[in-house]
Amino acid sequence: MSDDAVHVTPEMLAKIASARSLPDGDCTPSITTYRNIGELFAAHVKAQPDKNFLTFVDEDRAATRWSYSEFYALASQLTSFFTSFGLRQGDRIATLMRNDPMT
């Protein structure tokens, strides 16, 4: 994870605003060769580990970014945390969190 002192560009802010204004369910299904989202994500991690995967922009317009490999490592840590409590594949959990990368 990297905290950038440089604020995001106006173009990026426009893209964020556009993404936040999309109506729910406005997606066209597509055919894929992956069995699930985890398999798709793992393929992207392998193909482009250092490419930016996620950018969080806070209220001050400062950006925090994660590469595919950084985010995969965090997801793997979360998986280990859940399995330490006895959760297994197929179990269901619920979370309630703020939109903040540190919570």
Side-chain angles (χ1 to χ4, degrees), residues 1 14 24 65 72 77 80 89 92:
M1 175 175 68
D24 290 338
R65 294 182 173 89
Y72 187 81
Q77 289 175 359
S80 295
Q89 185 174 351
R92 295 188 175 146

Side-chain angles (χ1 to χ4, degrees), residues 63 72 81 97:
Y72 187 81
F81 175 75
M97 302 170 66

Side-chain angles (χ1 to χ4, degrees), residues 30 32-48 53 68 72:
S30 62
T32 180
T33 59
Y34 302 100
R35 292 179 298 148
N36 56 50
I37 195 165
E39 195 174 277
L40 170 66
F41 187 66
H44 280 277
V45 171
K46 185 177 181 181
Q48 51 198 6
F53 169 70
Y68 276 89
Y72 187 81

Side-chain angles (χ1 to χ4, degrees), residues 55-73:
T55 301
F56 177 81
V57 180
D58 68 17
E59 295 82 19
D60 297 323
R61 297 184 178 175
T64 303
R65 294 182 173 89
W66 293 267
S67 68
Y68 276 89
S69 60
E70 289 171 326
F71 198 84
Y72 187 81

Side-chain angles (χ1 to χ4, degrees), residues 7-22 57 61:
H7 293 292
V8 294
T9 65
E11 293 82 13
M12 185 181 285
L13 289 174
K15 287 180 181 181
I16 292 168
S18 174
R20 289 180 175 162
S21 67
L22 290 173
V57 180
R61 297 184 178 175

